[in-house]
Amino acid sequence: MAQNEFRYLHSEDYYEEFTRSYDVRFVAEIMHLGLKKVRTLKDSSSYILENKVKQQFETWDSQYNRVLQKEDKEKNVINADQLTEEAKSTQESLESILHHTLEIDDAVEWNSLKDFPNFEEIPPSKPEEPPKPNQSEYKPKIDPPSESLFKPDLSLFDKIIPSLKEKKIQKAKETYNLSLEKWRSENDDIEYFNSIIDREYNNELEEYRKRLEDWDKEVKAFESRKKEFYQKQKENNQVVDELKEKFHQKDINAINEYFEIVLNNSDYSAFNFPKDFELEFLADSNTLIVEYYLPDIEDVPTLKEVKYVASRKELKEVHLSKTQKFKLYDSVIYQIIIRSIHELFEADVINSVDYITFNGWVESIDKAKGQKTNCCIASIHVSKEEFLKIDLLHVDPKLCFKGLKGVASTKIYTHTAIKPIQNIDKSDKRFIHSKDVSGNIEEGDNLATMDWEDFEHLVRELFHKEFSSNGGEVKVTQSSRDGGVDAIAFNPDPIMGGKIVIQAKRYTNTVGISAIRDLWGTTMNEGASKGIIVTTSNYGPEAYNFAKDKPLSLINGSNLLYLMEKHGYNVKIDLKAAKEAAN
């Protein structure tokens, strides 16, 4: 497929949130641009989450490639017989969705979750040392002229006449001196030529030494990256080993994670079926609740034959009749339900699950209103003991579902909503009933001496008054004095609103940077759009510097008094009196 056909919906790869048990959970919201599909994946491990994201993209890519192939086929003259065979094969596969899984061991193969790639980066090449110049490159020096070769040739007259002799001797000396000067000049030229060779070699040698130093740095960096690669691989694989160990220790989060992997491994990509679900394992009853999004009737392939019309030189598709389509859809839905339950029970190698509640949901378009609807169309609660007695190879999925006391409409293709037998509890158990303390506040009360729990409720009331004007609400959380969330506001404003984390600090001393860091971490973990911290005292300069580029609001004692006055409370903050009272 083309590059950039998918993307994350957030600027970062993933963000963090808190589970109801205050564990950190990583969240990735991903979208496939070609298929226009969106899915939210969650995991307590960023590495496992990355594997899920990778697997989801691979599934989407496979589906999208089929879409592209279909488009290509529509643009070209295609063999109708081949398309008909493919259609028949697809219809046969739809009828054998349940039987397909019976041939597969659905238990998680832990090694398949691990990374075993080789470090494929090529190490930097060592630079070659420049070759030394050989002797043949140098010009040899010239021997000096011999003075004996320049002796004058004296005749008898020269010997008799001294002046003639002296003249020839002088000329011979001059000739010798000229030859000697020429020799010196030529040797100077030779030395200069040879020095150029030496200088070029020395320059190359210096460059080589520099390249050698750079190469040494590159080698160290390469070895560091290689070590980091295999260390990361080791750490990632340790995450899988830790998950495996926790699963066998029957850790609840690990059990949820394990069965999520099981359902993710169930492959429906040949039909382009959506795959989205939530799981919750209830340890007190050994029950696994599955909220599963089933395919819409429009998602089920109905092509049964392709004919080539020679007169028009085009292909004509023949689809199932409406009755056949409804019958096939019912079959597909019941097969997926029974298949999913089978996969989960079969994969339960530690016998942690005694019961499964499976709720099948469908998101579709209401033809009457043209709007999206989301409803539960099938629900079943079944025990492992009862389910394992069934011979799935010869069972009728619909009759099996009914025999197990599953609840669904008679005509499931109508998407008639039914009440789930048992739901995942999605409420935030941290929320408690708020206490009205503002009615007990009298004029001149010192907020710095209030009971710390009453102060948290007062802050909740104060922000409720702030947000209620535009339909917002504020919920108070269970008091813990652990630096966590004291209240959560939900502001419906489409631009400035969202989820807002609020912390209340009834302090007499300056609030340091650590509290602001905690607020920032909580804001991110909650997936909130803003964090607010309220104190009766003030903040240090480091706290203000840390918060200035972040969606954090630091409300000090003066700001708090202004808000209180704005909503009709005439109170004070006397830190000195509060410190004396504490002593």
Side-chain angles (χ1 to χ4, degrees), residues 489-515:
F490 299 92
N491 186 356
D493 187 290
I495 298 175
M496 303 299 293
K499 183 180 182 182
I500 302 172
V501 170
I502 302 171
Q503 290 183 346
K505 304 290 184 185
R506 194 222 59 194
Y507 280 9
T508 55
N509 296 320
T510 301
V511 179
I513 189 175
S514 61

PDB file of all heavy atoms in Angstrom, residues 489-515:
ATOM      1  N   ALA A 489     -13.690  17.903  36.743  1.00  0.00           N
ATOM      2  CA  ALA A 489     -14.718  18.730  36.108  1.00  0.00           C
ATOM      3  C   ALA A 489     -14.892  18.287  34.667  1.00  0.00           C
ATOM      4  O   ALA A 489     -13.927  17.893  33.994  1.00  0.00           O
ATOM      5  CB  ALA A 489     -14.317  20.208  36.160  1.00  0.00           C
ATOM      6  N   PHE A 490     -16.118  18.334  34.201  1.00  0.00           N
ATOM      7  CA  PHE A 490     -16.429  18.018  32.813  1.00  0.00           C
ATOM      8  C   PHE A 490     -17.070  19.262  32.198  1.00  0.00           C
ATOM      9  O   PHE A 490     -18.222  19.588  32.478  1.00  0.00           O
ATOM     10  CB  PHE A 490     -17.367  16.824  32.721  1.00  0.00           C
ATOM     11  CG  PHE A 490     -16.792  15.562  33.300  1.00  0.00           C
ATOM     12  CD1 PHE A 490     -17.022  15.226  34.638  1.00  0.00           C
ATOM     13  CD2 PHE A 490     -15.990  14.732  32.540  1.00  0.00           C
ATOM     14  CE1 PHE A 490     -16.489  14.073  35.185  1.00  0.00           C
ATOM     15  CE2 PHE A 490     -15.453  13.576  33.080  1.00  0.00           C
ATOM     16  CZ  PHE A 490     -15.700  13.248  34.397  1.00  0.00           C
ATOM     17  N   ASN A 491     -16.292  19.969  31.385  1.00  0.00           N
ATOM     18  CA  ASN A 491     -16.747  21.210  30.770  1.00  0.00           C
ATOM     19  C   ASN A 491     -17.198  20.917  29.343  1.00  0.00           C
ATOM     20  O   ASN A 491     -16.385  20.502  28.512  1.00  0.00           O
ATOM     21  CB  ASN A 491     -15.616  22.245  30.776  1.00  0.00           C
ATOM     22  CG  ASN A 491     -16.061  23.607  30.279  1.00  0.00           C
ATOM     23  OD1 ASN A 491     -17.205  23.780  29.859  1.00  0.00           O
ATOM     24  ND2 ASN A 491     -15.156  24.572  30.321  1.00  0.00           N
ATOM     25  N   PRO A 492     -18.483  21.120  28.993  1.00  0.00           N
ATOM     26  CA  PRO A 492     -18.979  20.751  27.656  1.00  0.00           C
ATOM     27  C   PRO A 492     -18.601  21.728  26.555  1.00  0.00           C
ATOM     28  O   PRO A 492     -18.942  21.503  25.399  1.00  0.00           O
ATOM     29  CB  PRO A 492     -20.501  20.717  27.864  1.00  0.00           C
ATOM     30  CG  PRO A 492     -20.745  21.741  28.926  1.00  0.00           C
ATOM     31  CD  PRO A 492     -19.571  21.649  29.858  1.00  0.00           C
ATOM     32  N   ASP A 493     -17.926  22.838  26.896  1.00  0.00           N
ATOM     33  CA  ASP A 493     -17.567  23.815  25.866  1.00  0.00           C
ATOM     34  C   ASP A 493     -16.758  23.132  24.768  1.00  0.00           C
ATOM     35  O   ASP A 493     -15.736  22.495  25.047  1.00  0.00           O
ATOM     36  CB  ASP A 493     -16.736  24.945  26.486  1.00  0.00           C
ATOM     37  CG  ASP A 493     -16.490  26.077  25.501  1.00  0.00           C
ATOM     38  OD1 ASP A 493     -15.724  25.866  24.549  1.00  0.00           O
ATOM     39  OD2 ASP A 493     -17.065  27.172  25.674  1.00  0.00           O
ATOM     40  N   PRO A 494     -17.191  23.210  23.466  1.00  0.00           N
ATOM     41  CA  PRO A 494     -16.520  22.467  22.396  1.00  0.00           C
ATOM     42  C   PRO A 494     -15.105  22.947  22.105  1.00  0.00           C
ATOM     43  O   PRO A 494     -14.332  22.224  21.474  1.00  0.00           O
ATOM     44  CB  PRO A 494     -17.443  22.710  21.185  1.00  0.00           C
ATOM     45  CG  PRO A 494     -18.164  23.976  21.494  1.00  0.00           C
ATOM     46  CD  PRO A 494     -18.335  24.001  22.975  1.00  0.00           C
ATOM     47  N   ILE A 495     -14.760  24.160  22.544  1.00  0.00           N
ATOM     48  CA  ILE A 495     -13.431  24.695  22.243  1.00  0.00           C
ATOM     49  C   ILE A 495     -12.539  24.664  23.482  1.00  0.00           C
ATOM     50  O   ILE A 495     -11.437  24.121  23.464  1.00  0.00           O
ATOM     51  CB  ILE A 495     -13.536  26.130  21.693  1.00  0.00           C
ATOM     52  CG1 ILE A 495     -14.333  26.141  20.374  1.00  0.00           C
ATOM     53  CG2 ILE A 495     -12.146  26.728  21.470  1.00  0.00           C
ATOM     54  CD1 ILE A 495     -14.580  27.519  19.820  1.00  0.00           C
ATOM     55  N   MET A 496     -13.018  25.240  24.588  1.00  0.00           N
ATOM     56  CA  MET A 496     -12.199  25.370  25.780  1.00  0.00           C
ATOM     57  C   MET A 496     -12.479  24.285  26.806  1.00  0.00           C
ATOM     58  O   MET A 496     -11.824  24.234  27.846  1.00  0.00           O
ATOM     59  CB  MET A 496     -12.458  26.742  26.432  1.00  0.00           C
ATOM     60  CG  MET A 496     -12.202  27.918  25.497  1.00  0.00           C
ATOM     61  SD  MET A 496     -10.486  27.996  24.938  1.00  0.00           S
ATOM     62  CE  MET A 496      -9.675  28.368  26.501  1.00  0.00           C
ATOM     63  N   GLY A 497     -13.453  23.418  26.510  1.00  0.00           N
ATOM     64  CA  GLY A 497     -13.880  22.458  27.510  1.00  0.00           C
ATOM     65  C   GLY A 497     -13.104  21.164  27.499  1.00  0.00           C
ATOM     66  O   GLY A 497     -11.999  21.064  26.993  1.00  0.00           O
ATOM     67  N   GLY A 498     -13.746  20.130  28.066  1.00  0.00           N
ATOM     68  CA  GLY A 498     -13.120  18.815  28.174  1.00  0.00           C
ATOM     69  C   GLY A 498     -13.047  18.387  29.629  1.00  0.00           C
ATOM     70  O   GLY A 498     -13.696  18.941  30.514  1.00  0.00           O
ATOM     71  N   LYS A 499     -12.239  17.379  29.869  1.00  0.00           N
ATOM     72  CA  LYS A 499     -12.048  16.848  31.218  1.00  0.00           C
ATOM     73  C   LYS A 499     -10.970  17.663  31.921  1.00  0.00           C
ATOM     74  O   LYS A 499      -9.892  17.894  31.376  1.00  0.00           O
ATOM     75  CB  LYS A 499     -11.641  15.378  31.123  1.00  0.00           C
ATOM     76  CG  LYS A 499     -11.472  14.686  32.470  1.00  0.00           C
ATOM     77  CD  LYS A 499     -11.072  13.230  32.222  1.00  0.00           C
ATOM     78  CE  LYS A 499     -10.921  12.461  33.517  1.00  0.00           C
ATOM     79  NZ  LYS A 499     -10.498  11.059  33.289  1.00  0.00           N
ATOM     80  N   ILE A 500     -11.264  18.112  33.145  1.00  0.00           N
ATOM     81  CA  ILE A 500     -10.335  18.959  33.891  1.00  0.00           C
ATOM     82  C   ILE A 500     -10.063  18.325  35.254  1.00  0.00           C
ATOM     83  O   ILE A 500     -10.987  18.006  36.001  1.00  0.00           O
ATOM     84  CB  ILE A 500     -10.900  20.379  34.073  1.00  0.00           C
ATOM     85  CG1 ILE A 500     -11.191  21.017  32.708  1.00  0.00           C
ATOM     86  CG2 ILE A 500      -9.935  21.246  34.864  1.00  0.00           C
ATOM     87  CD1 ILE A 500     -11.928  22.325  32.792  1.00  0.00           C
ATOM     88  N   VAL A 501      -8.789  18.117  35.546  1.00  0.00           N
ATOM     89  CA  VAL A 501      -8.376  17.552  36.832  1.00  0.00           C
ATOM     90  C   VAL A 501      -8.161  18.695  37.819  1.00  0.00           C
ATOM     91  O   VAL A 501      -7.522  19.701  37.496  1.00  0.00           O
ATOM     92  CB  VAL A 501      -7.072  16.752  36.667  1.00  0.00           C
ATOM     93  CG1 VAL A 501      -6.511  16.366  38.016  1.00  0.00           C
ATOM     94  CG2 VAL A 501      -7.328  15.498  35.834  1.00  0.00           C
ATOM     95  N   ILE A 502      -8.705  18.539  39.031  1.00  0.00           N
ATOM     96  CA  ILE A 502      -8.590  19.580  40.053  1.00  0.00           C
ATOM     97  C   ILE A 502      -7.973  18.985  41.313  1.00  0.00           C
ATOM     98  O   ILE A 502      -8.407  17.932  41.795  1.00  0.00           O
ATOM     99  CB  ILE A 502      -9.973  20.185  40.386  1.00  0.00           C
ATOM    100  CG1 ILE A 502     -10.626  20.768  39.122  1.00  0.00           C
ATOM    101  CG2 ILE A 502      -9.840  21.273  41.456  1.00  0.00           C
ATOM    102  CD1 ILE A 502     -12.061  21.190  39.327  1.00  0.00           C
ATOM    103  N   GLN A 503      -6.951  19.670  41.838  1.00  0.00           N
ATOM    104  CA  GLN A 503      -6.334  19.273  43.097  1.00  0.00           C
ATOM    105  C   GLN A 503      -6.441  20.430  44.087  1.00  0.00           C
ATOM    106  O   GLN A 503      -6.256  21.589  43.717  1.00  0.00           O
ATOM    107  CB  GLN A 503      -4.866  18.895  42.910  1.00  0.00           C
ATOM    108  CG  GLN A 503      -4.662  17.593  42.157  1.00  0.00           C
ATOM    109  CD  GLN A 503      -3.200  17.216  42.045  1.00  0.00           C
ATOM    110  OE1 GLN A 503      -2.322  18.028  42.296  1.00  0.00           O
ATOM    111  NE2 GLN A 503      -2.932  15.982  41.656  1.00  0.00           N
ATOM    112  N   ALA A 504      -6.747  20.109  45.347  1.00  0.00           N
ATOM    113  CA  ALA A 504      -6.875  21.127  46.394  1.00  0.00           C
ATOM    114  C   ALA A 504      -5.782  20.913  47.430  1.00  0.00           C
ATOM    115  O   ALA A 504      -5.586  19.802  47.927  1.00  0.00           O
ATOM    116  CB  ALA A 504      -8.255  21.026  47.049  1.00  0.00           C
ATOM    117  N   LYS A 505      -5.045  21.994  47.745  1.00  0.00           N
ATOM    118  CA  LYS A 505      -3.937  21.915  48.701  1.00  0.00           C
ATOM    119  C   LYS A 505      -4.156  22.967  49.796  1.00  0.00           C
ATOM    120  O   LYS A 505      -3.894  24.152  49.583  1.00  0.00           O
ATOM    121  CB  LYS A 505      -2.595  22.174  48.004  1.00  0.00           C
ATOM    122  CG  LYS A 505      -2.299  21.256  46.840  1.00  0.00           C
ATOM    123  CD  LYS A 505      -2.019  19.838  47.288  1.00  0.00           C
ATOM    124  CE  LYS A 505      -1.635  18.959  46.101  1.00  0.00           C
ATOM    125  NZ  LYS A 505      -1.478  17.534  46.499  1.00  0.00           N
ATOM    126  N   ARG A 506      -4.680  22.530  50.939  1.00  0.00           N
ATOM    127  CA  ARG A 506      -4.824  23.460  52.050  1.00  0.00           C
ATOM    128  C   ARG A 506      -3.493  23.515  52.776  1.00  0.00           C
ATOM    129  O   ARG A 506      -3.240  22.791  53.725  1.00  0.00           O
ATOM    130  CB  ARG A 506      -5.953  22.995  52.967  1.00  0.00           C
ATOM    131  CG  ARG A 506      -6.416  24.052  53.981  1.00  0.00           C
ATOM    132  CD  ARG A 506      -6.659  23.435  55.326  1.00  0.00           C
ATOM    133  NE  ARG A 506      -5.442  22.799  55.846  1.00  0.00           N
ATOM    134  CZ  ARG A 506      -5.435  21.962  56.871  1.00  0.00           C
ATOM    135  NH1 ARG A 506      -6.541  21.609  57.478  1.00  0.00           N
ATOM    136  NH2 ARG A 506      -4.291  21.435  57.298  1.00  0.00           N
ATOM    137  N   TYR A 507      -2.599  24.404  52.253  1.00  0.00           N
ATOM    138  CA  TYR A 507      -1.222  24.488  52.747  1.00  0.00           C
ATOM    139  C   TYR A 507      -1.016  25.810  53.473  1.00  0.00           C
ATOM    140  O   TYR A 507      -1.679  26.821  53.185  1.00  0.00           O
ATOM    141  CB  TYR A 507      -0.228  24.424  51.598  1.00  0.00           C
ATOM    142  CG  TYR A 507       0.046  23.030  51.067  1.00  0.00           C
ATOM    143  CD1 TYR A 507      -0.701  21.935  51.461  1.00  0.00           C
ATOM    144  CD2 TYR A 507       1.081  22.818  50.147  1.00  0.00           C
ATOM    145  CE1 TYR A 507      -0.446  20.675  50.962  1.00  0.00           C
ATOM    146  CE2 TYR A 507       1.344  21.568  49.645  1.00  0.00           C
ATOM    147  CZ  TYR A 507       0.577  20.490  50.053  1.00  0.00           C
ATOM    148  OH  TYR A 507       0.829  19.249  49.556  1.00  0.00           O
ATOM    149  N   THR A 508      -0.062  25.809  54.403  1.00  0.00           N
ATOM    150  CA  THR A 508       0.393  27.056  55.023  1.00  0.00           C
ATOM    151  C   THR A 508       1.782  27.434  54.514  1.00  0.00           C
ATOM    152  O   THR A 508       2.213  28.572  54.689  1.00  0.00           O
ATOM    153  CB  THR A 508       0.438  26.921  56.563  1.00  0.00           C
ATOM    154  OG1 THR A 508       1.242  25.797  56.912  1.00  0.00           O
ATOM    155  CG2 THR A 508      -0.977  26.741  57.119  1.00  0.00           C
ATOM    156  N   ASN A 509       2.473  26.472  53.882  1.00  0.00           N
ATOM    157  CA  ASN A 509       3.802  26.725  53.313  1.00  0.00           C
ATOM    158  C   ASN A 509       3.703  26.805  51.791  1.00  0.00           C
ATOM    159  O   ASN A 509       2.701  26.405  51.187  1.00  0.00           O
ATOM    160  CB  ASN A 509       4.781  25.615  53.715  1.00  0.00           C
ATOM    161  CG  ASN A 509       5.019  25.580  55.205  1.00  0.00           C
ATOM    162  OD1 ASN A 509       5.137  26.635  55.841  1.00  0.00           O
ATOM    163  ND2 ASN A 509       5.080  24.382  55.775  1.00  0.00           N
ATOM    164  N   THR A 510       4.769  27.303  51.172  1.00  0.00           N
ATOM    165  CA  THR A 510       4.815  27.439  49.711  1.00  0.00           C
ATOM    166  C   THR A 510       4.720  26.076  49.042  1.00  0.00           C
ATOM    167  O   THR A 510       5.362  25.112  49.464  1.00  0.00           O
ATOM    168  CB  THR A 510       6.124  28.132  49.280  1.00  0.00           C
ATOM    169  OG1 THR A 510       6.185  29.418  49.897  1.00  0.00           O
ATOM    170  CG2 THR A 510       6.174  28.299  47.768  1.00  0.00           C
ATOM    171  N   VAL A 511       3.912  25.997  47.992  1.00  0.00           N
ATOM    172  CA  VAL A 511       3.764  24.752  47.231  1.00  0.00           C
ATOM    173  C   VAL A 511       4.955  24.642  46.267  1.00  0.00           C
ATOM    174  O   VAL A 511       5.197  25.550  45.466  1.00  0.00           O
ATOM    175  CB  VAL A 511       2.439  24.740  46.443  1.00  0.00           C
ATOM    176  CG1 VAL A 511       2.326  23.449  45.634  1.00  0.00           C
ATOM    177  CG2 VAL A 511       1.265  24.887  47.398  1.00  0.00           C
ATOM    178  N   GLY A 512       5.696  23.557  46.355  1.00  0.00           N
ATOM    179  CA  GLY A 512       6.899  23.392  45.539  1.00  0.00           C
ATOM    180  C   GLY A 512       6.614  22.812  44.163  1.00  0.00           C
ATOM    181  O   GLY A 512       5.475  22.464  43.818  1.00  0.00           O
ATOM    182  N   ILE A 513       7.678  22.658  43.381  1.00  0.00           N
ATOM    183  CA  ILE A 513       7.559  22.184  41.992  1.00  0.00           C
ATOM    184  C   ILE A 513       7.104  20.734  41.923  1.00  0.00           C
ATOM    185  O   ILE A 513       6.473  20.310  40.948  1.00  0.00           O
ATOM    186  CB  ILE A 513       8.903  22.370  41.247  1.00  0.00           C
ATOM    187  CG1 ILE A 513       8.708  22.098  39.750  1.00  0.00           C
ATOM    188  CG2 ILE A 513       9.984  21.480  41.831  1.00  0.00           C
ATOM    189  CD1 ILE A 513       9.945  22.380  38.926  1.00  0.00           C
ATOM    190  N   SER A 514       7.409  19.930  42.957  1.00  0.00           N
ATOM    191  CA  SER A 514       7.038  18.506  42.911  1.00  0.00           C
ATOM    192  C   SER A 514       5.524  18.333  42.817  1.00  0.00           C
ATOM    193  O   SER A 514       5.039  17.442  42.107  1.00  0.00           O
ATOM    194  CB  SER A 514       7.575  17.782  44.145  1.00  0.00           C
ATOM    195  OG  SER A 514       7.020  18.334  45.327  1.00  0.00           O
ATOM    196  N   ALA A 515       4.776  19.192  43.499  1.00  0.00           N
ATOM    197  CA  ALA A 515       3.309  19.097  43.431  1.00  0.00           C
ATOM    198  C   ALA A 515       2.800  19.435  42.035  1.00  0.00           C
ATOM    199  O   ALA A 515       1.830  18.840  41.550  1.00  0.00           O
ATOM    200  CB  ALA A 515       2.680  20.040  44.457  1.00  0.00           C
TER     201      ALA A 515
END
